[in-house]
Every structure is written in structure tokens, then in C-alpha cells.
Amino acid sequence: MTNADTVRFNVGGREYRVAKSLIEHHSKTMLCRLASDAWTNTLGAAHQGADPIFIERDGERFRYCLDYLRDGRAVLPWSESREAVLHEFDYYGIDCDPARLTKDQKSFPDAVDLVSSCYAEINSGIRSVKMEIAGLNLEIEDRERKLEILDLTMHCLQTYCQKNILQFTLKIDDTRMGDYMLARPTLKLLLKPESTTRTFLEEQLRKFGLEIQGMLDEIYPHGFCHMYLKKLT
């Protein structure tokens, strides 16, 4: 087939060489008008040479238009949108029966595999982000607890310096009698000698010559407990 027998189209950067007889057989389409001698003559000789006719459309879907022009039907992969292809047909002026656009049954397992693969990858990403968030939440909780302990240390030092008092009543909310309020989780951790929260408080107190002499191992039903400090010897 010679160059004179074919028409070259560049559709969205993808090049097609199409038999001129096929295009002329569908004389009412925009493709036929583009390829006609009357159209090319209005542009001079440029399009009669090596340059293809450029069309700013989807280059992949153009092949389904050609399939339909050749065979009166087109088979689409499961991943392709029938509505999007029909929109291309309408643009090119191709009179199409939507029932003649069918989905490729063989490509369905590939589509299922693709969806399953994407689903697994996205799920993995979600789990990873959730783990990161959980880790950040734990870090935030730890830092907030350390801020509480530092504030408690400051309270103890101020009370000791101003009143020479080393006994403190720690409470868990504003409605209780007591010297200083802590979050319940923080107070419960302070009652455990082996906890990192208790160790952190002891470290801060030692910096200023104090240590914990004793502390009740439970919170009273009324929501408070006692802590006794002493000077380091």
C-alpha cells in the first residue's frame, strides 16, 4: 500500500496509518473531511507530504474508533470506560450503536488481579500510616507525661522553698482536696516504682537535692494519694 493510498494521523502524539478507502467509506465522519483533497488543498502542500494530520485527542481510544469503522464493532478492555469511548465517537462524527461496544471477557481476570494488587498495596499503605500515627501518639503521650512531671517537680520545689513542706497530696481532678492535680494515667504510673514515669520524677528531684521517701501504692477512693519527699543525705 503506497503513501497515496493511506492517511496518516497523529492523535495525541500517537501515530496511525489508515487506508484512505476506509476513511472515504465513512464520508460523514470528521476523519473523512480532514483527509479529503478539499481540506488538504486549503492548507497547501504541507499535509500532502510527510507530516501526519494532527488531532488533539486521546491516542489510545482512537484505535477503538478505527476498529468500529473497519468491523462495525469494537472490543474494549475492562479497564476502559465505554462512556469515554462513546464521547470520542461523537467527536469524530461516527454514528455508533453502543451495543456494538463490548468488554473483553479475557481481560476481566487481569482487571481483577490489578484491583486486588492495588487494594493490597493501598491496605499495606494504610496499615503503615496507622502504625506511624500510633507511634506518634505514644510519643506525644510520653512527652505530655514528662511535661506533667516537670511541672510537678517545679511545684514541689516552690512549696519546699517557700513553706519547707515535703508532703504532697496528689489528686486526679479539680473537685478533690489536694495540692496538685495529675492525669489519672500519670498518677497510676507514679505509684509503680519500676515505671519510667516514676524514674523520671526521681531523676528530676535528685537534681535539686530531693528524693521520694515514700508514696502510697494506691489511689484513695476519693481520688487522691500522698507523696513524701526528703532531702538527699
Side-chain angles (χ1 to χ4, degrees), residues 140-205:
I140 290 171
E141 289 176 7
D142 180 65
R143 291 178 183 272
E144 289 178 341
R145 193 166 290 124
K146 285 183 176 179
L147 282 175
E148 281 191 278
I149 297 305
L150 290 172
D151 200 49
L152 172 60
T153 303
M154 178 65 72
H155 172 76
C156 293
L157 289 174
Q158 289 176 341
T159 303
Y160 172 60
C161 292
Q162 295 171 3
K163 302 178 182 179
N164 198 32
I165 293 175
L166 290 174
Q167 176 180 331
F168 302 90
T169 301
L170 308 179
K171 57 182 181 176
I172 59 174
D173 63 57
D174 275 333
T175 63
R176 313 300 182 191
M177 297 289 292
D179 301 306
Y180 190 83
M181 185 177 72
L182 289 170
R184 179 182 286 272
T186 302
L187 184 53
K188 291 179 70 174
L189 288 171
L190 282 179
L191 299 179
K192 299 178 180 180
E194 73 281 1
S195 72
T196 56
T197 301
R198 174 73 168 264
T199 300
F200 184 67
L201 175 60
E202 291 172 341
E203 290 173 352
Q204 301 310 307
L205 290 172

Side-chain angles (χ1 to χ4, degrees), residues 190-191 214-220 224-228:
L190 282 179
L191 299 179
M215 195 167 185
L216 295 180
D217 60 357
E218 63 179 354
I219 302 175
Y220 283 117
F224 66 90
C225 74
H226 298 301
M227 178 177 70
Y228 304 92

Side-chain angles (χ1 to χ4, degrees), residues 1 16 62 67 70 73 77 91 107 179 194 201 216 228:
M1 186 176 291
Y16 292 86
F62 185 68
D67 287 343
R70 294 188 192 100
R73 61 188 298 272
Y91 176 82
S107 68
D179 301 306
E194 73 281 1
L201 175 60
L216 295 180
Y228 304 92

